[in-house]
Structures are given as C-alpha cells and as structure tokens.
Amino acid sequence: MKRKLLALLLALVMVLSLLPAALVPDTAVAETIDQTIVEGGAILHCFDWSYKEIIDHLDEIAAAGYTAVQTSPVQPPKDYNAAWTDGGGQWWKLYQPLGFRIAGAGETWLVEDGVTLKQLCMEAHDKHIKVIVDVVANHLANTQTGGTIANLSPQVDEMFQGQESYFHDSPDFINDYSRYTITQYHMGMPDLNTGNEDVQQKVYDFLVECVDCGVDGFRFDAAKHIELPNDPVGSDFWPAILNGNDTEGEIEGIRDYAKTEKNKDLFIYGEILGGAGTDISNYTQYMAVTDNETGNSARNNAVNKNAGGLANFYYYKGTAPQNCVIWAESHDTYEDHSSDGVSNEDIIKTWAIVGARADSTSLFLARPNAIMGKASSDTTWKSKAVAEINKFKNHFKGTSEYISYHQDNGIAYIERGVNGIVVSVLKDENRTIDLQVFQLRDGTYEDQISHSQFTVSGGRIYGSVGNTGVAVIYNPEEQAIDSINYLEVGTLYLKPSDDWKSENARFAIYVFNNNKNEWVSMEPVNGEDGIYEVAVPDGKWTNVIFCRMNPGTTENN
C-alpha cells in the first residue's frame, strides 16, 4: 500500500511549490453580511467628534460600509474649557482624564447640546452601527509634567487625591523597552498602580457604566504600559477587568457582564505601538491589538510608490490577523505630523489594500476638524472609493486573500475568494492593467467605483482603473465564494534524487500560506530505502517546499 502511495509522488524533486490548482479544493460560500460585526469589519475613528456630530452623520457612516464608530476618550478631560476649541491645541487633553466616569455636559467637548453617549448608542444601533469608546486606564492628568502622585492635577477627582497606593512611585520616565520600565515607570503623567484592587474596581465600574449606556467595545490607550500577570511586577488587571476572577466577590469581568446583562459580545483591543517587550500572545489572549507597523509601512510604501512593500502580506505583530487592528493612518501619526502631509489620494491607495484584508479589523481615521467636537471637514472617510472598499470587505468576510503586485508598473492588488479583487495603482500612467491573478475565476466583473468592466480570462485580469487609482472589482449581486486549494494529507513522502543523496542527508518541509509558515523535519521511512516521511502540521497550507538541510545541525532555516 505504501509503495502504491509513493508511486504517486514526484521523484527526483528538488523543490516542489504547490500552486492552488495542484491541491485539493476546499470550497465554501461566505454569506454577504449586514453591518453588525465589529471584528473583521471597518471602524470609523470619529476623532474629536461630539456625540451629536456622530449621530448627525450616522446615515452617511452606514452608507459608507463602516461596521462601528470609535469615539475619543469619554472620561472628563484635563483643563476643559468650552471656549477653547482649537483642535490642534486641545485634543491631547482627552488623553489626560480626571477619573473613571463618563463626562457630562460642561465637562468635555464630546457632549454638545446635551446629547449623551447613551443617545449615541441608541441611534447608532438603529443604523446597525456599533460604538467603541476609547479608555485611558494607564494614567491620570498631571499638573505640568511628572509621573507620580506629587504631579497629580488638582482637577483630578477627589477619590484619587492623596491615595499614594493608587499610583506607582517611580519618578523615572520610561527609558528602555524592558517590561519592568514599560509598566512601572511613567510617560510624563501620574502612572496608576493598576495592580491595586481599588483602582481595578474603579476601572471596572467605569466599563460597566459604558456598557449600561449601550457601548459595544473598548479601545485601551497605552495598553502595553499596563502590566501582565507574568511581568516582573505583574498583576491580574487584564484578566480581572476583562474576563473576571473566579474568586467569589471579586470583579466579574466586563465581558461576562455584557453577555449576562446585555446579551452582547464586546470587541476589545489595546494600543500596542511598536514592540511590547514581551511575546504579543501575552496580550492577545485578552484582546486584539493595534498593528501599527503593518499600516504605517503600507502607507509609507504607497507614498513611495513601492508596490511590493504595499503588497506585503506579513503582519508585523506576528499574530493571527483576527488579533490585529490595522490602519492607513492613526490619530497619533496625524497629530505627530508623520502622516498629516500624506495626500488623501495616497491614503485611499493604502486603504485599498489595508481596508480589504481578510480577518483583521480595519480602522479609518476621519482627519480631525480644526474645531474640537465638530465632524471632520475632510470627507475622504465617506468618499466613493473608501466606501466601496469597506463594502467589499463586508461582502467577502470569511473568504481567503491573495496579495500580489507588479513592481515596475507600481500596482498592488488583493484577491478575495474567487470572485473579488481590489487594485491600487501607485503610478498613474499605468491604469490600464493586464495582471496575473491567482484565485479569480474567469468572467466579467464591474469596478464599483468607476463602473468600468474588467475581464478575467486564462489567469489574467484586463481593464482600466479610474481616476482614483483604485478599482474595487466584483459583482455585488453574486455571493462571495471562497475556493482555495489546501494541502489536505496527513503525511508527505519524499524520494530524493541522486544529487540530494548523501550518507548523512537530512530533509525537511517548509509549509506556508499567506498568514503563517512552519518548518518540520522529515524522517527515514522504516524499511523503505532512501524514502523520507513527515506528518503535516495542522493548518490550511497552500504551499510546501521540500528542502535538503544542513546535516550538522537540527535547526531548519
């Protein structure tokens, strides 16, 4: 039986790359979804918008394909004055809160004409839009600078005044990337002792207040600066606040509260900028995380017309796509001037790839108005191109992705399933395209932006991209179909050619797909001369390479 199986294998092989047509098909149909899902959808970051302004634009937000809106921090901000409306000079105050409660009228720019967070949630839900709020739990407002209780702003709520145990006592600013300094030193503001049970209870009570208003999830600012259970000075802040403790009488956990009391599953993610100084899985077991490197790299490559860089499918955080929130730009990159000079055209060309990706959640920044509380005066967030990319992402939820590029012509593109593709043309002179496709089946498709026709035939797509430089190509009346070929065998065998044979020969396989890869060593088959076998690891592998390895080491690379 074994020899019969082996007879089916290619002998004398040096490298075998299994292209999709060579593997066993796994076909599934993904239903078109409505706009009720946060994870894997598109969030509009309504940065500095009041609740009233968001409500006034809900019809446009829904029409643009967003599944959720994200507010600025809803806690009372430092040094609020209704007359101070300069956005560039005031926005940062929202990230220096005075306590853990929802700010009311006369306390924040987010409350306009008495319109509350609760009203926003009610009206957003009527439009099938979820509401995510930003939470600052790492620190409170300072006087001028400094990270201990001695620097606590007198405006901070009285319950925190004089409570030395509520704050870390190190006067040192974070000066390296060790977990101790990241979590125990300060960022220029009084750093909360998030291991303190009273502090945890206050944070939890605030989250409950938000859920009672109708909030559907949270973004935690400066999440990497809040300790994990396995840190040098660790605490149970994250498991307690989010998932609850098992001990009777302790915090229930906001997920359990929301599910029990409101029958809703919260979407929660943390701001983890750059390296966290620890394996990212220590955070992703509790929440999704921002993958700023992936989005920022994509934007920079779009600006530099580097199609290969824009088409990089790797997630820099090194975790599964469903754990990642990615963007074309963020409020931080805009306010620190690293992206505010990027044209709207290049933001859209970045979003064409970032916003169309499978499984990850995408966040689009509505560039802020100059006036605090007002909706963005930049309407790119609801432009035809951005809206169609969002709707494409919704339509193809649950389908595979294949990202590729044509470097010389400056074209990056992402296929979803077998009947959808988004094309981003970085060099305007190359808008007539003739590209190899890897998943799309033959047929005629329509660009949902320009309404021009594209043809797929013989593994290539032909057509002309409109003046936005982006084409969103599919037929919305067709169901999204995911048909990708996966390696579906438990064991692989190799009979090396004579050129590969040696007395101490060692072999391995390298399996990979668009999201992950793995090495596995092969072993000689008992009783079979010169034949090797390997158990295929779990995973939907689209490619495998057989490799001869260095016999002097057990390491595969």
Side-chain angles (χ1 to χ4, degrees):
M1 182 66 174
K2 185 176 292 183
R3 288 190 179 278
K4 185 176 180 180
L5 289 172
L6 294 174
L8 300 175
L9 297 171
L10 289 175
L12 306 177
V13 63
M14 289 190 70
V15 177
L16 173 65
S17 179
L18 294 180
L19 295 177
L23 301 175
V24 180
D26 178 18
T27 302
V29 175
E31 299 287 341
T32 300
I33 63 167
D34 65 16
Q35 297 177 31
T36 60
I37 299 171
V38 178
E39 182 180 308
I43 304 171
L44 178 65
H45 189 183
C46 299
F47 182 57
D48 291 348
W49 297 24
S50 71
Y51 308 136
K52 180 180 184 299
E53 289 284 298
I54 299 175
I55 289 172
D56 289 346
H57 289 83
L58 281 173
D59 285 333
E60 295 166 287
I61 292 168
Y66 294 100
T67 57
V69 293
Q70 179 177 305
T71 73
S72 290
V74 302
Q75 298 150 264
K78 169 183 176 177
D79 201 21
Y80 169 75
N81 187 316
W84 298 345
T85 59
D86 170 34
Q90 305 298 317
W91 71 270
W92 58 271
K93 295 178 180 178
L94 289 163
Y95 290 89
Q96 289 206 33
L98 305 183
F100 293 104
R101 55 188 174 84
I102 299 173
E107 291 187 299
T108 178
W109 295 277
L110 274 57
V111 177
E112 179 185 354
D113 294 341
V115 177
T116 65
L117 178 61
K118 185 173 184 177
Q119 288 173 262
L120 167 61
C121 293
M122 291 175 60
E123 302 226 16
H125 293 162
D126 285 344
K127 307 291 184 182
H128 303 291
I129 299 293
K130 304 283 190 181
V131 178
I132 308 296
V133 300
D134 210 342
V135 174
V136 183
N138 176 69
H139 55 265
L140 293 177
N142 65 12
T143 47
Q144 293 298 322
T145 185
T148 69
I149 191 172
N151 310 107
L152 191 66
S153 168
Q155 301 172 34
V156 168
D157 289 348
E158 186 176 355
M159 68 180 68
F160 292 95
Q161 300 292 341
Q163 298 291 336
E164 293 186 5
S165 64
Y166 287 5
F167 298 88
H168 289 139
D169 58 7
S170 173
D172 295 323
F173 194 89
I174 295 170
N175 54 22
D176 64 29
Y177 290 96
S178 72
R179 286 301 296 173
Y180 181 82
T181 57
I182 285 174
T183 61
Q184 302 301 305
Y185 289 8
H186 66 81
M187 299 190 300
M189 293 153 286
D191 199 66
L192 281 163
N193 176 12
T194 37
N196 181 283
E197 291 183 2
D198 289 341
V199 172
Q200 292 180 6
Q201 187 67 55
K202 288 173 172 53
V203 175
Y204 174 74
D205 290 344
F206 167 62
L207 301 182
V208 168
E209 183 185 5
C210 291
V211 169
D212 286 347
C213 283
V215 165
D216 303 288
F218 302 97
R219 179 251 189 203
F220 279 91
D221 182 69
K224 79 175 182 181
H225 298 288
I226 298 177
E227 67 282 347
L228 295 155
N230 63 346
D231 275 329
V233 180
S235 83
D236 65 347
F237 177 87
W238 292 117
I241 294 298
L242 301 185
N243 301 332
N245 289 317
D246 294 331
T247 306
E248 185 177 353
E250 294 188 353
I251 294 172
E252 176 184 4
I254 197 59
R255 282 196 176 97
D256 287 344
Y257 178 83
K259 190 67 175 177
T260 301
E261 300 297 326
K262 308 296 178 181
N263 193 30
K264 68 169 59 176
D265 296 312
L266 300 177
F267 179 73
I268 300 173
Y269 76 101
E271 182 197 30
I272 309 285
L273 299 181
T278 186
D279 192 296
I280 199 63
S281 65
N282 290 321
Y283 278 101
T284 57
Q285 64 181 301
Y286 304 116
M287 68 190 96
V289 297
T290 54
D291 190 345
N292 59 301
E293 297 102 321
T294 293
N296 294 345
S297 174
R299 182 187 67 251
N300 292 336
N301 281 297
V303 169
N304 294 321
K305 305 190 185 311
N306 179 0
L310 176 57
N312 181 11
F313 62 81
Y314 179 70
Y315 283 89
Y316 282 77
K317 275 293 186 287
T319 186
Q322 58 265 30
N323 293 333
C324 295
V325 175
I326 56 177
W327 55 58
E329 65 176 340
S330 70
H331 74 276
D332 284 319
T333 66
Y334 185 85
E335 294 292 357
D336 72 11
H337 306 301
S338 58
S339 72
D340 64 336
V342 175
S343 69
N344 286 331
E345 181 183 40
D346 283 337
I347 292 295
I348 290 171
K349 290 179 179 181
T350 305
W351 191 249
I353 303 300
V354 168
R357 296 208 62 177
D359 300 324
S360 56
T361 303
S362 49
L363 181 74
F364 194 94
L365 174 72
R367 288 181 163 182
N369 197 305
I371 301 174
M372 289 291 289
K374 296 302 179 184
S376 177
S377 55
D378 183 324
T379 58
T380 306
W381 65 268
K382 60 178 179 178
S383 65
K384 177 69 171 174
V386 170
E388 293 302 335
I389 293 164
N390 293 343
K391 288 185 277 189
F392 177 92
K393 185 179 181 77
N394 289 342
H395 186 83
F396 285 93
K397 184 175 177 64
T399 64
S400 58
E401 66 177 31
Y402 196 103
I403 305 177
S404 192
Y405 64 97
H406 193 295
Q407 186 72 1
D408 291 342
N409 290 339
I411 300 173
Y413 52 106
I414 177 170
E415 299 172 59
R416 294 291 305 274
V418 300
N419 55 344
I421 183 173
V422 177
V423 178
S424 182
V425 180
L426 305 181
K427 298 179 180 179
D428 289 341
E429 65 271 19
N430 296 325
R431 287 183 180 167
T432 299
I433 65 169
D434 175 357
L435 298 169
Q436 181 182 9
V437 291
F438 301 88
Q439 296 186 177
L440 259 63
R441 62 187 181 186
D442 290 356
T444 301
Y445 301 86
E446 182 178 344
D447 172 21
Q448 299 305 306
I449 301 174
S450 69
H451 300 293
S452 62
Q453 299 298 302
F454 284 76
T455 300
V456 176
S457 178
R460 302 195 72 82
I461 185 169
Y462 310 91
S464 294
V465 177
N467 60 14
T468 63
V470 170
V472 180
I473 305 163
Y474 72 114
N475 300 320
E477 67 277 7
E478 295 180 3
Q479 282 188 318
I481 300 175
D482 187 23
S483 181
I484 190 165
N485 301 303
Y486 299 114
L487 185 62
E488 292 188 338
V489 294
T491 305
L492 287 174
Y493 298 91
L494 171 68
K495 184 175 183 179
S497 68
D498 289 340
D499 291 340
W500 267 21
K501 290 179 179 177
S502 69
E503 183 178 351
N504 297 315
R506 191 173 70 81
F507 300 94
I509 60 167
Y510 179 72
V511 287
F512 61 99
N513 56 36
N514 247 8
N515 297 319
K516 60 181 179 178
N517 55 73
E518 191 168 338
W519 283 96
V520 190
S521 294
M522 305 191 78
E523 300 294 338
V525 176
N526 185 32
E528 301 289 349
D529 183 36
I531 298 174
Y532 298 80
E533 66 180 347
V534 63
V536 178
D538 290 338
K540 290 188 173 182
W541 309 112
T542 55
N543 301 76
V544 57
I545 303 174
F546 290 88
C547 303
R548 174 171 165 170
M549 309 309 303
N550 178 0
T553 177
T554 59
E555 181 183 4
N556 299 320
N557 58 43

